[in-house]
Structures are given as structure tokens and as C-alpha cells.
Amino acid sequence: DKEDFTMDEFLKCWSDYTTQVKSSGKSMSLVSVFTGNPPTMLKPYDFEVVVNTKAQENAFREDKPGLLNFLRTTLKNFDISVHTRIDEQTVSKRPYTASEKYQHMAAKNTQLAELRKRFNLDLE
């Protein structure tokens, strides 16, 4: 089968499958994949899901055959494919030393450097 469908119909099926995943008691990382960001259409019948971690990607990969079977039979289109992409977030380095804390605060408030000079303050 290769029937056309709208994005709204696809998202409704996605939501229905999400409900099944929640009620079946599967892993929380899998549930967070389905409840997090909605899938985006890259091209007709080709969708992408953004995940946050490798663990979420692995959980999705394990459940992918069941998802594709559900989507393909419900929407009557066996050309549907769903891919994952890990969202690479930059991890901010937390300031620990006094100088790192000062640099972090000075970046947020430029007047801090002026106050330090005016009162002749040093970092310990």
C-alpha cells in the first residue's frame, strides 16, 4: 500500500502509539523520546526524531520495528521511514575556582570589572 496522508494524520498516529508505549510500561527513556520533540518531515514519507542521548536513541532503535509496523498499517503506506538524530548540546563548563567564577560573572555583568578596578580588589 502507498496511500497519501497528511502531517496531522501522522502526528495523530504518533500520539496513539505514544499512548500505547506509556500504558505498556516501557522504559522512561523511550517514553521521553515519544513525548519530547514531535517528528519532522524531511521529505514525503521520511521523518526524523530528535533525541537527547545515546540511551534514548538505543531505546528507540529497539522499539522501531513496532513503531514502523503501527504507522505503516494505520496510515496504509509502507514507504514510511523514521530516523533519529542526537541533538548535540554544548555542555557548559561550570566555574569552580575563584578566577573562573569571576570571569563567568564578569561576562554577564561588564560593570563588575570596573568595580574591581575602582576598589582595587584581588581574587583569593
Side-chain angles (χ1 to χ4, degrees):
D1 290 341
K2 192 173 179 181
E3 292 185 16
D4 287 335
F5 56 88
T6 65
M7 187 65 180
D8 289 337
E9 291 171 329
F10 178 83
L11 292 176
K12 167 119 177 50
C13 286
W14 184 267
S15 176
D16 293 345
Y17 191 77
T18 302
T19 304
Q20 285 183 7
V21 168
K22 285 181 185 177
S23 65
S24 68
K26 294 195 178 183
S27 71
M28 285 307 295
S29 60
L30 183 62
V31 171
S32 64
V33 169
F34 287 107
T35 58
N37 300 325
T40 56
M41 185 185 297
L42 299 176
K43 54 187 177 182
Y45 316 129
D46 191 22
F47 298 89
E48 179 181 72
V49 178
V50 177
V51 296
N52 295 325
T53 64
K54 191 75 172 165
Q56 287 180 337
E57 183 181 39
N58 290 337
F60 182 81
R61 188 176 299 133
E62 290 175 11
D63 196 62
K64 188 175 176 179
L67 169 69
L68 288 177
N69 186 39
F70 179 81
L71 292 173
R72 289 172 176 171
T73 55
T74 305
L75 296 171
K76 297 181 178 122
N77 187 321
F78 285 86
D79 288 345
I80 295 173
S81 64
V82 181
H83 308 284
T84 58
R85 176 176 56 88
I86 297 178
D87 184 22
E88 297 180 16
Q89 299 175 355
T90 56
V91 177
S92 61
K93 182 183 173 198
R94 293 186 53 130
Y96 289 107
T97 64
S99 62
E100 288 176 345
K101 289 178 183 177
Y102 169 74
Q103 293 296 329
H104 180 72
M105 291 189 312
K108 288 185 175 183
N109 187 351
T110 56
Q111 295 176 348
L112 186 61
E114 182 184 329
L115 285 173
R116 182 176 172 223
K117 287 179 187 177
R118 182 179 290 169
F119 294 110
N120 197 21
L121 298 173
D122 284 331
L123 298 175
E124 292 182 8

